Amino acid sequence: VNQILLLLLVLTVCAILYNKVHQAPLALKNETVDLESPEEMEEEIPVVICAAAGRMGAAVAAISSIYSNTEASVLFYIVGLKTTIPHIRKWIENSKLKEIKFKVVEFNPMVLKGKIRQDASRPELLQPLNFVRFYLPLLIQKHEKVIYLDDDVIVQGDIQELYDTKLAPGHAAAFSDDCDLPSTHEMVRSVGMQNTYMGFLDYRKQAIRDLGISPSTCSFNPGVIVANMTEWKHQRITKQLEKWMQRNVEENLYSSTLGGGVATSPMLIVFHGKYSSINPMWHIRHLGWSPDARYSEQFLQEAKLLHWNGRYKPWDYPSVHTDLWENWFIPDPSGKFKLTRPDS
């Protein structure tokens, strides 16, 4: 009997050891598969676009162009004022854009109280949403890297390429230099645009001269930004921008009568010598500067991103290269937003 009991005990121990040895690799294999699951490894690309009253069609076209030209997982942060949010949400949810991943974020214009100098010459440049780019870390919490785009752009390339822009250590943002492409130099000369700091800051003011920035320094355009949120917060970029906004209210250091209005100038000051560069083809600008000046069709087809900065927007009339923009426009289901065309 004792021998039989001993044999049973040995067999039981062997069975336990066998199960442990053979089941462990299976458990490890399952765990490895879960860790490498494409759904979990996929990185989301956060893209911030504003939806302003009167120009929501611009935001819709920009979103449509991005979504249609990438396989990447894009999360759109659509920023609006309290009064405009229901309209843009309804537009998206009742169109073919209902498949996109998006969050609607309300921007509180009270954060700008006392920081904007009123200027009647170009009141559209004083709209609250023009300053959303100053407050990116307050609006977007969970992302390390963020793309900000003006609403008057369309994207013809894969947004993943723009997101992969390398930022140098210590740089909170990447922009496009206004002196980066010979083709844009020709456009600048033809319509008398400014592409240096002289066109944005008032060098008659001592505070500007004290910066030690040469007025012939090439400017950059903050309509397309790739930003590092950790560096932005570490360097207190928002606080720095607010400081220069406040100083402008008190000393009139720049104004909307100058080239870039009131949103570009503080960024030129704060980021001077401390930004990385975006591939020039990822920000072809000045399409909205003149209703007559045009780029070649071949050049525009090669461009990854087109920007109608300036007064002449592609949803209005007159404007240029509107066909490229209309390729991505989605009509407003509510009928409130309509394109302005010569036959309308």
Side-chain angles (χ1 to χ4, degrees):
V1 173
N2 288 340
Q3 288 180 337
I4 293 172
L5 290 174
L6 181 61
L7 179 62
L8 289 173
L9 179 61
V10 170
L11 289 174
T12 302
V13 170
C14 289
I16 292 171
L17 289 173
Y18 178 88
N19 285 337
K20 283 189 175 182
V21 169
H22 285 79
Q23 287 182 7
L26 182 61
L28 182 61
K29 182 180 178 181
N30 287 340
E31 187 176 332
T32 304
V33 169
D34 289 340
L35 287 172
E36 293 181 351
S37 168
E39 289 78 17
E40 292 188 16
M41 294 297 286
E42 187 177 56
E43 186 173 12
E44 240 171 19
I45 299 178
V47 176
V48 179
I49 296 179
C50 295
R55 46 193 291 163
M56 287 187 193
V60 166
I63 292 168
S64 171
S65 69
I66 295 166
Y67 181 66
S68 301
N69 285 306
T70 188
E71 294 296 323
S73 176
V74 180
L75 174 59
F76 293 97
Y77 285 87
I78 304 170
V79 186
L81 302 181
K82 187 174 183 178
T83 54
T84 61
I85 283 175
H87 186 187
I88 191 66
R89 185 185 293 278
K90 185 176 180 181
W91 196 330
I92 290 171
E93 291 176 348
N94 289 278
S95 72
K96 63 182 182 181
L97 290 179
K98 63 187 176 184
E99 302 299 327
I100 70 169
K101 291 190 286 185
F102 74 100
K103 294 182 179 180
V104 176
V105 182
E106 180 183 342
F107 182 68
N108 185 354
M110 289 304 294
V111 300
L112 302 171
K113 188 175 181 180
K115 300 184 183 74
I116 301 176
R117 186 183 184 88
Q118 294 303 313
D119 193 322
S121 60
R122 291 194 66 187
E124 74 275 11
L125 296 178
L126 303 177
Q127 295 301 314
L129 294 182
N130 283 344
F131 301 92
V132 161
R133 71 198 90 188
F134 290 14
Y135 297 94
L136 291 176
L138 302 181
L139 297 167
I140 314 302
Q141 300 291 336
K142 68 173 185 174
H143 301 282
E144 169 74 6
K145 197 174 186 182
V146 171
I147 294 173
Y148 166 88
L149 299 177
D150 276 355
D151 60 0
D152 51 355
V153 308
I154 60 163
V155 172
Q156 301 184 137
D158 186 341
I159 198 72
Q160 181 75 54
E161 291 179 29
L162 181 60
Y163 185 73
D164 289 341
T165 298
K166 301 297 183 186
L167 273 67
H171 286 179
F175 306 99
S176 292
D177 243 17
D178 282 333
C179 308
D180 56 9
L181 277 178
S183 298
T184 59
H185 296 175
E186 296 166 16
M187 180 73 81
V188 166
R189 284 195 297 271
S190 68
V191 296
M193 284 180 287
Q194 296 287 342
N195 63 353
T196 66
Y197 273 58
M198 176 65 83
F200 296 87
L201 305 178
D202 188 348
Y203 276 83
R204 296 170 299 178
K205 301 297 173 65
Q206 188 62 43
I208 297 301
R209 294 198 298 271
D210 288 346
L211 291 169
I213 303 173
S214 168
S216 62
T217 301
C218 185
S219 53
F220 59 80
N221 187 299
V224 176
I225 307 172
V226 181
N228 180 307
M229 294 292 92
T230 299
E231 278 296 334
W232 192 294
K233 288 182 280 191
H234 176 69
Q235 297 179 32
R236 296 169 63 84
I237 295 294
T238 297
K239 288 295 182 184
Q240 292 187 59
L241 292 167
E242 288 185 324
K243 182 191 82 171
W244 283 102
M245 293 169 75
Q246 190 67 53
R247 289 197 67 174
N248 184 56
V249 170
E250 298 163 359
E251 304 174 49
N252 197 21
L253 304 176
Y254 51 85
S255 72
S256 59
T257 56
L258 294 173
V262 293
T264 298
S265 300
M267 299 199 85
L268 291 178
I269 296 171
V270 170
F271 283 100
H272 174 253
K274 295 185 293 186
Y275 65 91
S276 298
S277 295
I278 289 172
N279 181 327
M281 296 306 287
W282 266 100
H283 194 179
I284 301 304
R285 304 176 291 290
H286 315 315
L287 278 76
W289 200 268
S290 165
D292 304 310
R294 303 176 67 92
Y295 287 111
S296 74
E297 291 302 321
Q298 180 181 350
F299 178 68
L300 293 177
Q301 291 299 329
E302 294 171 355
K304 304 286 190 177
L305 182 148
L306 303 177
H307 187 185
W308 278 262
N309 58 311
R311 296 174 184 261
Y312 302 97
K313 303 302 185 186
W315 54 90
D316 283 334
Y317 180 83
S319 57
V320 296
H321 303 299
T322 54
D323 55 325
L324 293 173
W325 183 86
E326 280 193 52
N327 283 340
W328 306 109
F329 175 68
I330 299 172
D332 182 0
S334 73
K336 295 177 184 176
F337 182 94
K338 294 182 173 64
L339 303 182
T340 303
R341 295 294 181 257
D343 55 351
S344 62

